[in-house]
Amino acid sequence: MSDTRDKYGPLIGSIDEGTSSTRFLVFASKTAEVLTYHQIKIPHITPKEGWFEQDPMLILNSVIETINVTCDNLKKLNINYEDIVATGITNQRETTILWDCKTGKPLYNALVWMDMRTSSTADAILLNGKRDKNFLQSMCGLPISTYFSALKIRWLMDNVESIREAMDERRCFFGTVDSWLIWNLTGGINGGLHVTDVTNASRTMLMNIETLKWDPYLCKVFDIPMHILPEIRSSSEIYGYITDVTTLAGIPISGVLGDQQAALVGQMCFHQGQAKNTYGTGCFLLYNTGTTMVQSNHGLLTTVGYKLGPDKPPVYALEGSIAIAGIAIKWLEDNLKILKDSKHSGEMAASADEVGEVYFVPAFSGLYAPYWRKDARSVICGLTEETKPEHLVKAALEAVCYQVRDILEAMALDCGYSLSKLLVDGGMTANDFLMQMQADYCGIPVVRPTMAETTCLGAAIAAGNAKGVEVWDLDNIQPVPSDTFLPSITDDQRDIRYARWKMAISRSLGWAEDEVDSDGLAELSDAETSISDETLRTSLPGGLFVFGTIAMLVVADILGKK
């Protein structure tokens, strides 16, 4: 046994392939501390408004590079990378990749989870309003939305000829990001494993939420051939072994969780009634409902929280998904140029006085839970001559807090009782001002772990728990230390502000309309309905309006100081 193995115990790797970056972290099994990591940013490709793509080969190469650089980092720390006994994967969910299993090449760019191009596809599935958006919810737990993988596959089938040809010739594989990575890391065209886990499969709209298998009826509704789908496995088992594409050749991949479910595990939410909220590009709140599926009547999603072993029962969760959180702050920084560095958003927001406050609904790609309105667009309400750039920054942070309260209100209605505290994680939680506002606007304590990497830890726990690895005992893992933010405003103050937020939400609805003409001829399920090429017609974009307004405010502020 090496000296470092005696000190840290066996090491567990964690691949974190997110919306904006790829990372590889190494955890010590004795202490659950991060020993080292490497990170690479992943750019978005935006060919049209509302379209978000990424290069699958760039994603794969970034994973390989982060693994190799992290292993070099371990060497510099005099830690033997050969002490890594397993690796887990956590990934952006719903993002859809189709590739040629004969050549190993992607057939199109990855369609990212927040891509909106499938709006007309969703309308066609819903027979232009004749079907309710929740007509499949009892089977898959999800409403018809541009968010989920099935609609992205359907759009690619309808619009990319090479994909139709590959499907006809049975050489097309589908996968979410985890499947793409596992297939390539375990051999690719030379015997790579085409698998996924239940948490990622539960986000496709094609898996039966009760049987945990691909459902023939769901596949028929979207007219998706089942032979393109990966095998569904548990979240914690040895799937296969990494080949010599990286330094970690021969190491098993033994844990896979979608990023939000990984955070649920990393926050040790192993008991019914526990919940966590992750703040990143978007914002995602998961509530553990145990082995019981709870079908929401208030705009939430029923999803698989985790299944930690082939012989273990699935644990379900209710989820509230918010499309725009941290990305709104980046928009203020990159597009409006009123914020020099998003890291300083809390300081700038704290300097805003009560006079001039505004409400910002960041519905760049519609609203997700609990509204599910793809016709919503961003609005800013309450602008006056007293409004300054710092008010906009504060409003963007407040929007995150109000949207989380929207989710908590819906969860209370579905579950019958309210949370007593909210566990939080993700990059935005470093913002103390945001965390205090979250406690204030929700009226419950907000508990933040001092170790921020709970999502990656969740994937590492799944990998280390797998049979044949077994370096982590779930019953003996100690929760990470945390700090707590307590509410500091009255119920009346909280409710008055929330009522204004609801007024702003109402003003964000109905800005975008979809036109579906009769030229597209893709037959969908049992309905002999034609769908068209996507033609999204929007009114004056909220972003253009806001840009002009804020530009005038900035100019006025500058002139006022002269």
Side-chain angles (χ1 to χ4, degrees):
M1 179 182 292
S2 69
D3 292 339
T4 56
R5 185 164 180 140
D6 186 55
K7 180 178 180 181
Y8 299 113
L11 308 182
I12 304 292
S14 184
I15 297 168
D16 175 19
E17 205 302 297
T19 310
S20 57
S21 71
T22 296
R23 301 187 299 165
F24 183 70
L25 298 84
V26 176
F27 288 87
S29 62
K30 275 192 174 182
T31 61
E33 66 178 309
V34 178
L35 299 180
T36 187
Y37 74 95
H38 186 65
Q39 180 173 5
I40 297 174
K41 290 186 177 181
I42 304 294
H44 285 158
I45 302 165
T46 53
K48 293 184 181 180
E49 181 184 352
W51 291 29
F52 294 91
E53 303 175 1
Q54 289 179 328
D55 181 348
M57 293 306 301
L58 193 154
I59 290 173
L60 173 63
N61 291 335
S62 70
V63 168
I64 293 170
E65 182 178 346
T66 55
I67 290 174
N68 292 339
V69 172
T70 301
C71 288
D72 286 341
N73 291 345
L74 287 173
K75 288 181 184 177
K76 294 173 184 176
L77 295 170
N78 295 316
I79 300 173
N80 189 350
Y81 71 79
E82 293 182 355
D83 288 343
I84 298 175
V85 297
T87 191
I89 295 175
T90 182
N91 58 283
Q92 52 173 312
R93 306 168 304 168
E94 298 95 19
T95 295
T96 297
I97 302 173
L98 297 177
W99 70 93
D100 189 320
C101 64
K102 302 297 184 183
T103 66
K105 301 296 183 184
L107 294 165
Y108 198 81
N109 279 335
L111 300 192
V112 178
W113 56 272
M114 57 184 171
D115 187 281
M116 286 284 290
R117 76 188 65 191
T118 58
S119 184
S120 61
T121 306
D123 286 339
I125 295 291
L126 294 174
L127 306 182
N128 296 320
K130 294 178 183 178
R131 283 172 166 165
D132 185 270
K133 65 183 178 183
N134 296 316
F135 83 102
L136 298 176
Q137 187 175 19
S138 63
M139 298 185 70
C140 66
L142 311 172
I144 298 294
S145 168
T146 59
Y147 186 17
F148 305 111
S149 303
L151 283 91
K152 301 180 193 301
I153 299 171
R154 182 69 250 174
W155 187 92
L156 289 165
M157 292 172 64
D158 291 336
N159 291 276
V160 183
E161 184 177 356
S162 60
I163 285 176
R164 292 196 297 272
E165 292 175 354
M167 286 186 178
D168 290 342
E169 296 170 10
R170 300 180 77 88
R171 53 184 174 82
C172 176
F173 275 2
F174 154 75
T176 42
V177 171
D178 59 304
S179 296
W180 167 246
L181 295 179
I182 293 172
W183 187 79
N184 280 283
L185 293 176
T186 59
I189 60 174
N190 298 311
L193 297 169
H194 189 210
V195 299
T196 190
D197 92 299
V198 289
T199 66
N200 281 291
S202 72
R203 314 298 295 185
T204 62
M205 296 202 77
L206 300 176
M207 187 189 82
N208 188 297
I209 196 74
E210 186 171 354
T211 67
L212 306 184
K213 295 180 179 180
W214 301 122
D215 190 282
Y217 175 76
L218 293 173
C219 291
K220 184 180 179 183
V221 168
F222 297 98
D223 198 20
I224 292 173
M226 295 183 72
H227 64 77
I228 73 169
L229 304 175
E231 179 187 357
I232 300 174
R233 307 275 283 271
S234 79
S235 307
S236 181
E237 60 180 276
I238 294 177
Y239 311 100
Y241 297 83
I242 298 174
T243 63
D244 57 6
V245 293
T246 80
T247 306
L248 296 182
I251 298 300
I253 300 172
S254 55
V256 175
L257 289 159
D259 51 7
Q260 304 312 318
Q261 286 90 338
L264 193 72
V265 172
Q267 287 270 31
M268 316 296 175
C269 293
F270 295 131
H271 301 291
Q272 184 175 352
Q274 293 180 306
K276 69 86 204 176
N277 194 36
T278 299
Y279 300 74
T281 303
C283 198
F284 303 88
L285 201 158
L286 266 69
Y287 177 97
N288 184 328
T289 63
T291 55
T292 302
M293 284 184 294
V294 176
Q295 295 287 356
S296 175
N297 296 314
H298 300 92
L300 304 181
L301 311 177
T302 303
T303 194
V304 178
Y306 50 83
K307 187 178 188 295
L308 296 179
D311 302 323
K312 301 291 185 180
V315 171
Y316 293 95
L318 277 178
E319 176 173 333
S321 307
I322 298 166
I324 304 297
I327 199 171
I329 305 301
K330 288 296 292 179
W331 179 73
L332 294 176
E333 178 185 350
D334 296 339
N335 291 44
L336 299 193
K337 311 295 184 185
I338 65 173
L339 183 63
K340 291 183 178 180
D341 189 331
S342 58
K343 293 179 180 178
H344 303 305
S345 60
E347 298 170 21
M348 189 171 179
S351 69
D353 53 37
E354 292 298 322
V355 179
E357 70 174 353
V358 294
Y359 288 78
F360 175 20
V361 179
F364 299 128
S365 53
L367 288 170
Y368 284 9
Y371 306 101
W372 297 108
R373 292 289 296 264
K374 59 188 176 67
D375 64 335
R377 288 298 179 267
S378 300
V379 296
I380 295 176
C381 300
L383 288 168
T384 71
E385 61 183 6
E386 302 293 338
T387 303
K388 298 176 181 177
E390 49 263 37
H391 290 106
L392 262 294
V393 176
K394 182 180 179 183
L397 293 175
E398 286 180 316
V400 176
C401 301
Y402 289 130
Q403 289 181 95
V404 171
R405 177 164 174 177
D406 285 339
I407 300 301
L408 291 175
E409 298 265 333
M411 284 189 173
L413 291 171
D414 279 329
C415 300
Y417 57 90
S418 302
L419 287 180
S420 60
K421 62 181 178 180
L422 181 64
L423 306 179
V424 299
D425 58 77
M428 293 185 77
T429 61
N431 188 328
D432 287 352
F433 185 77
L434 173 64
M435 293 295 96
Q436 184 58 55
M437 282 201 305
Q438 188 68 84
D440 288 342
Y441 293 175
C442 291
I444 57 175
V446 169
V447 181
R448 177 181 66 185
T450 54
M451 196 280 288
E453 305 297 350
T454 51
T455 298
C456 300
L457 177 60
I461 288 172
N465 173 72
K467 185 177 181 180
V469 180
E470 299 167 278
V471 300
W472 260 328
D473 180 357
L474 297 185
D475 295 327
N476 294 317
I477 298 178
Q478 296 300 314
V480 297
S482 60
D483 48 27
T484 301
F485 296 83
L486 300 174
S488 63
I489 63 175
T490 67
D491 289 343
D492 285 344
Q493 290 173 313
R494 181 179 304 119
D495 292 341
I496 288 170
R497 291 177 178 178
Y498 187 59
R500 289 174 181 164
W501 164 256
K502 285 295 195 180
M503 291 169 61
I505 285 286
S506 68
R507 285 156 173 77
S508 74
L509 305 178
W511 285 90
E513 298 176 7
D514 296 314
E515 279 187 357
V516 181
D517 60 38
S518 57
D519 294 333
L521 298 176
E523 186 175 324
L524 296 173
S525 73
D526 55 340
E528 296 179 357
T529 303
S530 298
I531 71 170
S532 70
D533 293 335
E534 180 178 30
T535 55
L536 179 65
R537 175 168 54 86
T538 63
S539 60
L540 181 65
L544 181 59
F545 170 76
V546 172
F547 182 83
T549 303
I550 301 309
M552 289 189 288
L553 286 169
V554 172
V555 171
D557 189 46
I558 293 171
L559 292 175
K561 292 176 180 178
K562 289 186 175 180

